[in-house]
Structure formats: C-alpha cells, structure tokens
Amino acid sequence: MTLEELLLKVPELETYIRYMPEELKNRYTIKTYAPKTIIHQKDELLDYFGIVCEGYHRVINEFENGNVFMIERNDPIDFVGEVTILAGKERTSVTIETLTECTILYFSRKDFEDWISKDIHLLRLVSQKVAYKLYRSSYNRGNRLFYPPQHLLLKYFLQYADEYQTFVIRRTREEMHEETGISVKTLNRTIHALKEAGLIGITRGKVSFTQEQIRAVREYLAQKTP
C-alpha cells in the first residue's frame, strides 16, 4: 500500500501529515497487523514512530510475576512511540497489542524527531493526544480506590454494552481482570452477587443483560455516583 492509497482509505490522516517534509514521502513504511499481535514489547529499544490509521489496540503493562494490567484502549487515529520519544527515552515503557486488524504508518525515530522539531502543527496534535490520555487517566485514577468492585464492574459492563451495542459481555474473566484491575477471585464473587441481586444474568457463561437490567444498572450507578 502506498501513502496515497492510505489517504484514500483514511482521509483524516491528511490533517496529521499536512506539513510533512517532502523527503519523508519516500521514507515511510505501512504495515497491517492481525488482531492479537504485539506491535512492540515493554523495554524494547524504540527506533520508530507510528501513526495508527485503522484499527483498535490496547496499551498494557506486563509485570515479572506474569500479571498484565491494561492501561488504556485506543482507537484511530493514534500514535505508537510518541510518549517514549517525547520523554527522551530509548526504551518503551509499555506493550501495545492489536485488538482488531490495524494499519500503521511508520517513520524512523530520527525522521520523526526532525519532523516534529520543524512542524508545530504535528507537535500540537501529538501533544494534545498525550495530554488527553493523561487527563483521562488522572480523571479516572481514583475510581479503583474510592468505589467498591460492584460499582466498578457495573460501570465497566455498561460502558462495554454501550460501545458494542450488545447485551452480552464477550470478555473472559482474565480479560476483565486485565481491563479493570479487579482480581479474578473478586470478579467471580462480585459477578455472583450481582446475579443474585438481579442486576445481571449469565448466558452460556457470559455476563448478559435484559433491557430492564440495563435500566436498573444505569439507575444504580446514578445513585451511587456523587
């Protein structure tokens, strides 16, 4: 795929490369990844910058004991490597894994650093994206400390149902653990309690809802949120 072909598929990309140096139009790589592919691993040397043009990915932190914690889930257009580069670090601090098929436009780290030093328009867009993620993280940081697992889990389920327009939460317990930070043991106990309370159902092993339950969950969260 060429850059011109990618622009036809993703017209919004033009906003980001509008003032790209002419020489970079011959110094790029476009890669498409299948779902569940690791784009880059935590602690690897970073020698590239990427613009995620299509597809969803997740940013995770992996620990030596084998635990995985999902920091965020991102949709296009997004970036790969921007935090490491802006921080002036050599190695990545997180792992990035595709959730759907993803198409990424790559430049070398050196080319990106030269480009961003001259292009305030791109610098502003990249900085805005980083600032938005920090804002979102800061805004939600206290939830896990302030709210009980029941509240956190219902909010997670509702966000999933709204995003995917479904009444069935197609996530394994391990995936829920990674995305919420709630231990699998606590998840199982909380899901059982929510089912007993009539706020959720279980369909073929998956958490599910009726329309009445969705309304009840919205009311519950509205009452419990200051």
Side-chain angles (χ1 to χ4, degrees), residues 189-202 213:
R189 187 171 60 244
T190 305
I191 288 171
H192 177 75
L194 291 173
K195 183 176 182 297
E196 289 295 306
L199 288 171
I200 65 171
I202 301 293
Q213 286 171 327

Side-chain angles (χ1 to χ4, degrees), residues 62-81:
E62 300 172 291
F63 300 95
E64 292 181 0
N65 61 7
N67 285 336
V68 173
F69 175 70
M70 192 181 87
I71 299 171
E72 59 193 8
R73 176 187 178 280
N74 296 319
D75 53 2
I77 286 178
D78 200 61
F79 306 112
V80 173

Side-chain angles (χ1 to χ4, degrees), residues 164-180:
Y164 293 99
Q165 294 295 294
T166 180
F167 286 164
V168 179
I169 310 301
R170 303 188 186 282
R171 289 283 194 268
T172 65
R173 298 295 194 269
E174 186 62 32
E175 287 171 332
M176 290 181 191
H177 158 64
E178 292 176 7
E179 296 181 14
T180 65

Side-chain angles (χ1 to χ4, degrees), residues 108-135:
S108 74
R109 177 169 181 160
K110 182 180 184 306
D111 279 344
F112 172 70
E113 289 175 335
D114 290 342
W115 176 11
I116 207 168
S117 70
K118 303 168 186 174
D119 185 355
I120 188 118
H121 173 74
L122 178 63
L123 177 60
R124 180 176 60 83
L125 292 175
V126 174
S127 299
Q128 280 182 337
K129 179 68 75 170
V130 173
Y132 169 74
K133 293 176 182 178
L134 288 172
Y135 177 88

Side-chain angles (χ1 to χ4, degrees), residues 192-211:
H192 177 75
L194 291 173
K195 183 176 182 297
E196 289 295 306
L199 288 171
I200 65 171
I202 301 293
T203 302
R204 296 182 180 178
K206 300 294 184 184
V207 173
S208 61
F209 295 93
T210 63
Q211 289 185 339

